[in-house]
Amino acid sequence: MALSKKQHTSTDQQAVLDAQLLLWHHTMGYVKSMALKAALDLSIPDAVHQHGGSATLPQIVTKVTLHPSKIPCLRRLMRVLTLTGVFSVHAGGDDEPVYGLTPASRLLVGSGMNVTPFLTLMLGTVFVSSFFDLGEWFRHELPDPSPFKFAHGRHIWDLADHDASFGKLFDDGMVADSSFIMDVVWILHDWSDAECVKILKNCKKAIASQGGGKVIILDMVVGAGSSDEKHVETQILFDLFMMFINGAERDELEWKKIIFEAGFSSYKIIPVLGVRSIIEWILHDWSDAECVKILKNCKKAIASQGGGKVIILDMVVGAGSSDEKHVETQILFDLFMMFINGAERDELEWKKIIFEAGFSSYKIIPVLGVRSIIEVYP
C-alpha cells in the first residue's frame, strides 16, 4: 500500500533528522578527544588510582587542581568520560556516583604499560593543529609540504630538534608507545621460573576473560631445531599475547614445567630459524620507495649473517578483528599518518613493497591489537 502524504512526510523528516544526527556526531567527535586530554591534564586517572581504583567526585577533587567553581563542570566532564568507556560509574552512598578505572584508564596510571605520554603527544596542540587546514593542503602537489610542515613551517623532526619542549614531548611519547608494545612482546624477560609462572597465570586469566586465545612466547629452546650452532633458533607460540623470555636458556622440559604450572593444558614448539631484523612501527613514516630501500638493506643484513627473516611490527589495514572500532581506528590512523606524508598500508600495499625489496614471501599475524606482526622471508 502506498504511503499517504502525511506518512511520507514523517518518514522524510526522520531521515533528515537521522542525517543531521550523523553529521553532529562527527562534528562533536573532537570533544571526546579533548575530554580525554583534559582528564590527562588534570591527572584524573591518577586521582582515581590513588583512591584504590574507585572514587567519588569529592574524592577526585582532593587529588586534582581546579577552581572550586568548576566542580559542576568536572561532573559533566566525567559523564563524557564514562559514556566513552574511559571510566566506569555506579551509584554509591547518597546517590553520589562512584567512578572506577576501566581496562582503558588502567593504561593511564602507574609506571608499567602507561600510554599517557603517547596520548599527550597525540592530543597536543602541535599535532592537532596539523589538521586544521587539511582541506587547503589537498590543493598542493605531493610530496611537500606535509600537513605538519604546512601548519608549522618545518618538518616534525626539525621542530623536535629545535624546540626542546616539543622535542621532549615527542621523545616521551615515542618511548611510551614503544615500551608499551614491547612490554606486550617481550614482557617476561629476566624473570625466574616462579615469576614466569605467575605472569603466565595472569595471562591465562586475561585470555579467558576475552573469550579465549593463546600466549605467544619468543625464546631459545635448548636442543630444539637445527643442530647447526651457527644458527639462532627462536621458538614461537602465536596468538593473543606475545612474550619474550630472555633470562635462562631453558630446554623443552623446563618450558613444559613452567607452562603446565601456569595452568595451560598444552603447548607447541615451532622452531624458526635465524630471526635477524625487527622493525617496529617505522615503515609507516616512509614512502613506498624509501620502505623498499630499508627492506633491501635488511635483506642484505640477514644474508650476511647466514640467513633469517625480517619481523615488522606495524599496522596492516583490514587485518585482525572486524569489530567496527578496530577497523575505524586503523582507517583513522592511516589518515592521521598523512600529517608527515606517511601511510598505514593494507595487505596489497605491504605485498608490493615486500616483493619489490626482493623478498620471496611474507606472513601477517594480527596479534597486536590494531597492529600486526609481519614476517618477511628472503
Side-chain angles (χ1 to χ4, degrees), residues 108-298:
L108 307 176
V109 299
S111 57
M113 300 188 82
N114 190 320
V115 301
T116 296
F118 178 72
L119 299 184
T120 300
L121 172 67
M122 295 284 285
L123 295 170
T125 303
V126 174
F127 270 30
V128 172
S129 62
S130 299
F131 290 87
F132 286 172
D133 293 316
L134 190 60
E136 179 61 29
W137 173 82
F138 269 95
R139 296 187 174 95
H140 294 256
E141 183 180 0
L142 283 173
D144 219 24
S146 65
F148 188 93
K149 186 177 180 181
F150 190 75
H152 303 291
R154 56 175 61 181
H155 291 295
I156 186 171
W157 325 113
D158 190 27
L159 182 61
D161 285 341
H162 291 87
D163 183 326
S165 178
F166 175 71
K168 185 178 187 311
L169 186 71
F170 184 79
D171 289 344
D172 289 348
M174 293 298 99
V175 168
D177 183 65
S178 181
S179 296
F180 171 81
I181 201 66
M182 284 305 174
D183 277 347
V184 176
V185 174
W186 318 129
I187 199 168
L188 295 186
H189 69 283
D190 292 336
W191 294 105
S192 67
D193 286 4
E195 293 295 333
C196 289
V197 169
K198 290 180 183 178
I199 294 168
L200 287 174
K201 280 183 176 179
N202 287 333
C203 290
K204 188 172 185 289
K205 291 178 184 176
I207 62 177
S209 70
Q210 297 184 37
K214 302 175 186 175
V215 175
I216 302 167
I217 304 170
L218 293 187
D219 198 5
M220 179 177 290
V221 177
V222 177
S226 171
S227 61
D228 187 344
E229 293 182 355
K230 292 184 295 183
H231 293 301
V232 176
E233 295 295 339
T234 301
Q235 317 307 319
I236 305 180
L237 292 94
F238 282 115
D239 210 336
L240 187 64
F241 291 85
M242 178 173 177
M243 305 177 193
F244 192 111
I245 302 177
N246 197 25
E249 293 180 357
R250 300 173 172 94
D251 61 25
E252 184 177 354
L253 288 177
E254 292 169 316
W255 275 115
K256 181 177 180 179
K257 177 176 178 290
I258 290 172
I259 291 168
F260 285 174
E261 283 187 8
F264 291 89
S265 60
S266 63
Y267 67 94
K268 182 179 181 182
I269 293 176
I270 308 170
V272 182
L273 189 62
V275 177
R276 302 292 186 181
S277 297
I278 297 179
I279 306 173
E280 185 224 342
W281 227 18
I282 297 297
L283 299 183
H284 71 169
D285 291 340
W286 300 98
S287 68
D288 285 4
E290 293 295 334
C291 287
V292 169
K293 290 180 183 178
I294 293 169
L295 289 173
K296 281 182 175 179
N297 287 334
C298 291

Side-chain angles (χ1 to χ4, degrees), residues 36-102:
L36 177 58
K37 182 180 186 302
L40 298 178
D41 291 344
L42 292 169
S43 299
I44 294 175
D46 289 321
V48 177
H49 179 59
Q50 289 167 17
H51 277 95
S54 62
T56 63
L57 202 67
Q59 289 173 326
I60 293 173
V61 169
T62 65
K63 299 292 184 179
V64 302
T65 302
L66 78 166
H67 194 277
S69 66
K70 298 292 175 60
I71 293 176
C73 300
L74 182 61
R75 189 180 299 274
R76 293 161 66 184
L77 176 67
M78 295 302 293
R79 183 167 57 185
V80 171
L81 293 169
T82 55
L83 177 69
T84 54
V86 177
F87 297 103
S88 63
V89 62
H90 67 270
D94 300 324
D95 292 327
E96 180 69 43
V98 178
Y99 302 99
L101 296 177
T102 63

